[in-house]
Amino acid sequence: ATKGKVVVREIDWIKVVGKKKPVKIYELQGTNGGDFPISSEQEDINNEFARGLALYRSRKWKEALDVFEGPVCANDGPSISFSERCKSLMADPSISPKEN
């Protein structure tokens, strides 16, 4: 009922008790038009974050870090969290992303 009406950003996957596959979690950001539209700046952050997340999931830690610490995402909370994860994974390659 809300498809296309709200703006969300995929943040991560989490394990849920009773589920075999991880579940995607999203950040609710606003509406498409209507009373709570998101800014063009937030749209840029969302696009860069999605690019960094894809690199992270491809285990391209350095490239993902460059995106998360780049000028578009530098002050974004989720980007900062993923930046720290990338640094940990680069410092100790034996760490699994699932543990981080």
Side-chain angles (χ1 to χ4, degrees):
T2 60
K3 187 172 180 117
K5 295 180 182 179
V6 296
V7 178
V8 297
R9 170 171 63 159
E10 182 182 348
I11 297 295
D12 206 352
W13 294 328
I14 60 170
K15 290 185 177 183
V16 176
V17 175
K19 300 273 186 182
K20 292 183 180 183
K21 293 183 179 181
V23 175
K24 291 180 183 179
I25 57 172
Y26 297 88
E27 173 186 22
L28 176 61
Q29 294 187 322
T31 59
N32 281 322
D35 295 333
F36 303 101
I38 66 168
S39 67
S40 60
E41 178 184 16
Q42 187 61 51
E43 287 179 19
D44 292 343
I45 293 169
N46 291 352
N47 291 334
E48 275 296 274
F49 181 81
R51 190 168 72 87
L53 188 58
L55 290 164
Y56 176 87
R57 290 182 177 159
S58 296
R59 298 176 176 256
K60 296 179 180 177
W61 316 131
K62 176 64 175 124
E63 293 91 337
L65 179 63
D66 290 343
V67 172
F68 294 133
E69 289 189 335
V72 175
C73 292
N75 296 314
D76 176 58
S79 296
I80 293 167
S81 295
F82 273 92
S83 171
E84 293 304 315
R85 289 187 194 184
C86 290
K87 289 176 187 175
S88 294
L89 291 161
M90 288 167 44
D92 185 356
S94 67
I95 298 173
S96 167
K98 292 178 270 180
E99 298 168 350
N100 194 294

